[in-house]
Amino acid sequence: MIVEEITIRNWRSYREPHTFRFDEGFNLLVGRNEAGKSTLFEAFTRVLFDRHTSTAEKIRRIQPLGSSLGPEATIFFQANGNRYKVWKRFLKTPASEFFTWRGDRWELDHEGDAADNAVREILRGETPPGASQTKHRGLCQALWYLQDDAPLPEEAWAEGVNEGLSGIVSLAAKSQEEDRILKKIEKVYSAIYTPKNGEVSSKSDLALLQKEIQDIEEELQTLHERARRVEALRLELESFAEQQQMKDAVLKAAHTEVADLKQKLKEGAALEEEKNQKEETLRRVKETREKLAGDLAAIDKRIMQIDELNRDLEEEQREADVLQADARVEQRTADAHHNTWKTVHEPELRQVEKELGILQAIERIRRFEEEVARVLEEIGRIETTETKFRKRQQELSTTPLPRKKDLKTYQDQKLELATVNGQIEQAAIRIGFDLQVEDVSITAEPDVERLTEDGEYLVLGPTKFTIGDLGMITVRGGGSSLGELQAKAESLSTEIASIFEHFGVADEQELSDLQQRRQDLEQEIKRLKKTLEDLTSKKGLDQLKEDVARTRQKITDERSKLSATPPGWQDLSGDVIREMSEDLAQKKEELNKKIEHEQDREAEARTAFAEASRKAEEASSHLVELKTEIRGLRRANDETLKSYSTYENLQAALAKETEALKQAEEDFAGLLTEYRIRVEEPRAQYDEALERLRGLEEQMQSVEREIVDRNARIEEAVSKDFYSSIGDQEALLDLKRRKLDQVTRQAEAVKLLRDMVQAFKKEQSTALSGPVADLMNRWVVMLTSGSYDSVQMDENLFPVGILNPQYNEALPLDNLSYGTREQVIVLLRLAMGVLLSNDERNLVVIDDRLVNADPVRMRRLCQILEEVATNHCQVVVATCNDTPYAGIQGEVIWVPGDGEVADQSS
Amino acid sequence: MVRFLHTADWQIGMKAAHAGEKAKVVRQKRFDAASRIVELAEEKDVDFVILAGDTFEDHNVGDVAVKRTVDILNRLGPTPVYVLPGNHDPMVPGGIWDRDSWKRIDPHVTLLREQQEYRHSDDVALYACPLAQKQSSLDPTARIPRREDGDNRIRIGVAHGSLNILPDHVNFPIAADRPEQSGLDYLALGDWHSRGIYGRAVYPGTMEPTSFSEKDSGNVLIVEIEEAHAEPQIEVCPVNSLTWVGITPEISTVDDVEMLDRTIRDLGPLASVLLKISPDISGCTDSRALQRLETLREEVRESAFFLEWIDPVHQPVISGGADRIPDGILYEVDEALATILDGRIPEGPGHQFADQDPEVVLAARLLLHRLAGVRSA
């Protein structure tokens, strides 16, 4: 493609619409730095490759500073023999339109996204979601060498090695038909394989089919597993069936054995009967003999017992006699003691007690008499105290004696009078005389006393002072209060006088003495009263008098009792009586002890007697028992012997039966041997066989249970009809596998086809690199004056080294100087442009890339640029310095800083 | 005189995996054939029915299949039916004959479980040779007793195995002269799905075909024996529902395809036909013939009950197919593919693909032609 014209507006520094027109050959875009040269190329890429709706940061940056206007541009270009026009506005009200020149006018072919896509398809580029990058520019990636572009792509031209080269190769092919088929191949390929690593895509039919087959195989495996389980069960069942068969045979044999033994047992039944009879006989003989032996033994035993009892009887008889004698002795001893205390000691005791009673009565009478005297004395004391008490009470009530209260009243009034007098003195008029004359007497009427040391007079009432000869001074009197005080003082004095008068005293001392007298009298009355109360506290006077009468009665009573008092005893002194009483009491005590002693002895003898009597009684009753027992034993023996007549007969019978038993036992032993062989042993065998049979039956049942179990499990398993499911799955698997074979073959075919196409493409690109290298080599020789003569290219059409003919050695491109490397890259782009413009011119853009060339090289580069622009491509070179390019024939487009465009052809 | 129906190899429940998606229907059709046997037995008024083994395909066939079989056999009553366990359904513990669903069988059906004589009537004795395992190299008929002098009963052997007339080692080999050795008037056999009459030893074949390789299957036999030693009279009666046909035509020209078409049409309605066609087109250079064959294939696929079309391994390369491929890479690729198919090593980048599987190479070339809009083989 070549660009005819571009108009931009609201685009960075281009706020107003600016139009730039380009020549088909060489175009030099000249402008100072920041003038907007690169902005123009940016507009190329944005309009041709970006989505108009993109709001990526790169797009937003093209908006003029401080503006919200939508940047827009229109590009007219030629491609594939057609003329196109594309207009896009970004950001604000984004829009996109695509026109084609048909005959004489522009026709709008697409709008919006369709317009974006149309441009992209023509230029074989890509429209990414965001802002486009260098690799999205299709062919332009190789032919446009802009400021921001790296010298070479990171991996390969355009989108990766394949995509980048395919763009070039496709264009190189220049066949739409081939391109269409190649696209179809890619489409078919990408329906099966992933584009990145060429593996089978998980969404492809092939993968899905493989997955389906895997699922079926797994399902089949499950089903087969079930079939194997059933088969295993069947094998087990077979084993159980064999066991069943074997056990059945063993069981049958066991049954036969049991039946045989049963028959034997039946045959031994007669012997059994005989054995039973003999057993019975033996038992009976044993019984008879045992009875006889028993009887004999019993009789013998009893005889021995009787002998023994008789011996005991004699012994015990003797003991009983001794016991009875003892009892009699004890009885006599008891009687002797009884007589002693009853007939001797007891009368003595009565006499002593009588005498003691008399002495005690005398003693009591005397004590009563003392009691009467004491009480009478107490009565006298009470009566005396009472008389004194009454006398003092009489005195107190009849004599006027001031109480303490009266004395207090007097003292209060006396104090108040003193106070009133003080107040009078205070209230009185004080008159002082200071006379200039000496020896002048001053008198007062009534007289007033000179009160103060200063010589002042205290005037209590109307007073007339006569001052010598000098004259008189009359004082009419004090205030009214003074009068009241004086009246009060007088009243108080009167009351005090009446108190003295009442008690007949003259002064205070006497009054006080009288009051003391009253106090003493009152205390004495109180004390007497207390004494009287003490005396009568226990008993009153009347009671005491009653006591006297009662005691006197007691004396009378006692005296009446002393009728038989021995002569002289009445007159005995107290001490004698006491002495006699003590003697008698001692005697009485001794007698009591004697009686007690005798009584104890008597009781002991009686107890011994009772014990002896009891033992004697017991002995005699035991004797009776022994005798009874002996009689019983004798009777028993008589009874036993009754059937044998005599003891000897019994002995003979026993001997006979013992012999018979021996015989019977021998008989039985003989039979028993035969019985063991014919009955017992078969019976044991029969029991054993039965036991074995039962065991076998149990085993059989167990095996049968296992069989039932396995059958049930098989039944359960096969009821799910997995067999036909296996068939269905196998059929399905077969189908799918066949299908897989087809699909796999088809997939392999697609891969082969695609691989071959890639291989041929690669070869073509390699073939392409040859002419590229040829061109470059020519230019390199020219540019470097033969210092380097050829460029080495890799399969990606990347220059990797440059050959120095002098040393015949290739230098890696990286070893070259920056300027030389830059020049080689420019030459590469130009060479690619030349080769890709065989049929149609293509635009090559070099944005200020040759600034490091020396003048000689620059001149040669200009020759190369001119050659390319003249014969092959549209070339646009941007520079801030047009001088080096002065020799090139072409269009110079000025990009002035003020936004104005001025075309100037050179 | 005795008249009986001889059938075998019902193979009820067979997987029929090679019938693909029609396997289930194929299984169902066997019951239709069995039902027709019931009708036939009644129609022919037979004295009894012999089912000489492989009634069931396997011990594990589904319950429904067993029940349906039991129902069909029960419908034969009161005509006695003698069922022999074969190598697919041998008499083993836990096998099909122990299944609950089999226990519903009516008393007129006798399962020939023992190797012994089964007395059908005073005049007819059956000598059953049931199998108790799936494989054996022993002759199951070896224990059939010889005919004793004066025994004038009709003696019929019932066995399952391979008549020992083939050179290969076979399963359950049966002496070819067993009828003569044991004095049998008829040896009712099962196992071979193709019908075969070898003197008195007779295979009826399966009553419903089971594969493309069978011959004369889909029948039962009505056998009449006048008396002991008399020649059995055998009537073949078809009972099948489906027909299995395998064709291997050589296709070189359009006429060959037309002939194949006629052959197929002669088979009758294809709705009950399972077809296996393996065309040999190795000698075909006529793209029209191939195109016609492709059309026929689609036609048959639509009308046949089941079609298995075997694509030939080596397909012809039809020249002139590349005329619509534009010059350039693709043309070179096509050339390289053609060279490889021709057995040569191409020059240029194509040489690295010379050892590719020819089938894949061919498919790749066909794909290229298809994508280029070129009609190829």
Side-chain angles (χ1 to χ4, degrees), chain A residues 8-38:
Chain A
I8 58 175
R9 181 187 183 192
N10 297 328
W11 200 297
R12 292 195 191 261
S13 57
Y14 300 99
R15 287 175 182 266
E16 296 304 317
H18 288 270
T19 300
F20 300 88
R21 291 191 186 82
F22 298 92
D23 187 75
E24 286 192 0
F26 186 77
N27 298 272
L28 190 66
L29 200 59
V30 186
R32 55 175 176 76
N33 290 334
E34 304 291 323
K37 302 186 294 293
S38 295

Side-chain angles (χ1 to χ4, degrees), chain A residues 698-715:
Chain A
E698 275 172 19
Q699 287 174 23
M700 193 69 169
Q701 280 166 4
S702 163
V703 171
E704 281 166 356
R705 274 197 298 275
E706 296 287 358
I707 288 171
V708 169
D709 169 69
R710 297 304 185 283
N711 268 324
R713 283 157 68 176
I714 290 171
E715 196 75 39

Side-chain angles (χ1 to χ4, degrees), chain A residues 463-476:
Chain A
T463 309
K464 192 185 278 178
F465 288 94
T466 305
I467 310 161
D469 299 333
L470 291 175
M472 273 194 312
I473 295 171
T474 305
V475 178
R476 289 191 185 271

